Amino acid sequence: MKLILADSNELARLGLRTILKEENVQIVSEAESSEELISQIKTFSPDLVLIDYTSKGFTIDVVPKAIQLKDSLKIVAITPEQSGQTLTHAIKSGVMSYVKKDCGLSEIVDSVKETYKGNKFFCGQILETIHKEGIDVETISDFEFSCEPIVLSEREIEVITLIAEGLTNVEISEKLFLSKHTVNTHRKTSWQNWE
C-alpha cells in the first residue's frame, strides 16, 4: 500500500507517520497543501490518501480533484470534530472513510487498512454523529461525483466553514463584516451545489 499523508500540521504528520510505519504502511510522500497533494498524486500514484482537508492550505475541493487524477484512489479523512452536514459533504465529495484526530490509534490504523481493502470505515465518534443526525451513509456514498469540482472563492469557503460550525447568518455577517443577505446567498449557493 502506497499512502500520502496530507495535513498542514507537521506534528500531526509526524504522529501519523510514526503510527503507520509501525504497521508497515509505505508512506510515499507528505503534502502540506491541496496543490502539493495534487502534484504528489501525479508523481507517486498512491493507493490511499489520509487527509485533514480542514487544515490550513486544504479544502474539501481537493478530494474530487484527486479522485479525477486516479479513480482507484481511496480517501480517508482525519479531522477534528465535524457536523453531520460536513460529514455528508465529505462523503459526497469522495471520502470513503472518516475518523477523528482524537480517535484511538487502533481506529486510525484500522481506517487505513480497511479502506485499502475497499471497505468503508468510520470511527466510533463519527458513527455516533452519523446515527445521532440520522445520516444514511449507504445512500450518500452511492452518490457519484460526475460533475466538475465546485470552485469556491476564499470568502465563500470562509462563509461555508462558519455555516458548518453552526453559526447563524447574523453571527456570520457580524464576524465577517458582510450583509446578512450576502451570507444567506452563500448559504443557498453552497446547499444547491451539494444537492
Side-chain angles (χ1 to χ4, degrees), residues 37-190:
L37 178 59
I38 294 300
S39 173
Q40 290 173 5
I41 289 169
K42 291 175 185 175
T43 302
F44 297 103
S45 189
D47 303 302
L48 194 138
V49 172
L50 183 59
I51 183 171
D52 180 353
Y53 64 85
T54 67
S55 67
K56 186 177 180 180
F58 289 94
T59 67
I60 192 63
D61 293 339
V62 75
V63 172
K65 289 177 185 175
I67 293 169
Q68 284 180 346
L69 290 175
K70 183 178 180 184
D71 61 357
S72 65
L73 183 66
K74 296 171 177 72
I75 309 286
V76 178
I78 180 167
T79 69
E81 183 76 37
Q82 298 298 321
S83 70
Q85 184 179 7
T86 303
L87 294 174
T88 300
H89 291 172
I91 294 166
K92 281 184 178 182
S93 73
V95 168
M96 186 170 179
S97 298
Y98 211 118
V99 292
K100 283 182 56 186
K101 283 190 170 178
D102 62 354
C103 284
L105 299 182
S106 62
E107 285 185 304
I108 293 170
V109 170
D110 288 347
S111 73
V112 169
K113 289 180 176 180
E114 289 301 315
T115 305
Y116 177 68
K117 292 178 191 174
N119 301 319
K120 298 176 189 122
F121 186 96
F122 301 95
C123 72
Q125 294 178 50
I126 295 295
L127 282 174
E128 188 177 310
T129 301
I130 287 169
H131 292 306
K132 187 170 79 174
E133 300 200 22
I135 299 168
D136 183 351
V137 175
E138 291 306 317
T139 303
I140 294 168
S141 59
D142 289 341
F143 173 87
E144 191 172 311
F145 198 89
S146 58
C147 56
E148 289 297 312
I150 300 162
V151 180
L152 302 173
S153 69
E154 285 187 38
R155 177 58 83 177
E156 288 171 321
I157 292 168
E158 195 173 14
V159 169
I160 292 167
T161 301
L162 294 172
I163 291 168
E165 290 174 3
L167 273 64
T168 66
N169 288 2
V170 173
E171 292 168 326
I172 295 169
S173 65
E174 290 172 358
K175 186 172 187 140
L176 299 179
F177 305 105
L178 295 171
S179 72
K180 287 178 260 181
H181 174 74
T182 301
V183 174
N184 193 42
T185 301
H186 286 311
R187 184 182 293 268
K188 284 180 184 174
T189 302
S190 68

